[in-house]
Amino acid sequence: MTYVIQESCLGETYAACVDVCPVECIHPVQHEGKPFMIIDPDVCIDCGVCLPECPIGAIVGSAEEDPAYAIVNKDLTPAAIEYEKAHGKMAPRAPNAPPRRPENKLIK
Ligand code: SF4
Ligand code: SF4
């Protein structure tokens, strides 16, 4: 398993991480009733570009640093991919733009 998004991302709406991932393996999803982002562990190439982009330090560089959320990222990946198939990928947005994930509430 690779880079992991942690619990502190819950409810976050900026999603700076998505805009920089070179393999587009960061996906929106709902978790515990809030917007969340997951990293697809089968696609992440461990490049590390996303980690310094997160304004709240919610990304870690290995599953060992947060084993519980490594499992959460992996388990939520299929739902996130299905969501993107249905609704399309998020477009890049400016830092001060409104939240771009209100539609995520469609994912249970
Ligand atoms: S930049 Fe950080 S807090 Fe924002 S969506 Fe990505 S992981 Fe979550
Ligand atoms: S480490 Fe690289 S490939 Fe993996 S999620 Fe972050 S930006 Fe994407």
Side-chain angles (χ1 to χ4, degrees):
M1 225 178 257
T2 50
Y3 278 60
V4 169
I5 295 181
Q6 300 180 285
E7 184 175 14
S8 52
C9 172
L10 272 174
E12 213 283 330
T13 53
Y14 175 38
C17 54
V18 175
D19 295 337
V20 299
C21 178
V23 294
E24 299 186 349
C25 69
I26 304 176
H27 306 286
V29 72
Q30 279 278 306
H31 180 52
E32 298 182 351
K34 296 179 182 175
F36 187 56
M37 306 296 291
I38 58 87
I39 293 174
D40 182 342
D42 294 330
V43 178
C44 175
I45 57 172
D46 273 348
C47 71
V49 171
C50 59
L51 197 150
E53 294 298 320
C54 179
I56 60 170
I59 303 174
V60 292
S62 69
E64 289 72 25
E65 292 172 70
D66 193 338
Y69 262 75
I71 293 169
V72 169
N73 278 238
K74 182 176 177 61
D75 287 351
L76 290 177
T77 292
I81 291 173
E82 284 305 310
Y83 177 82
E84 284 190 336
K85 281 182 187 169
H87 299 278
K89 288 191 175 294
M90 290 188 298
R93 62 186 283 278
N96 294 325
R100 63 181 173 183
R101 298 183 296 169
E103 71 278 17
N104 290 354
K105 65 180 181 292
L106 297 173
I107 292 181
K108 301 297 181 207

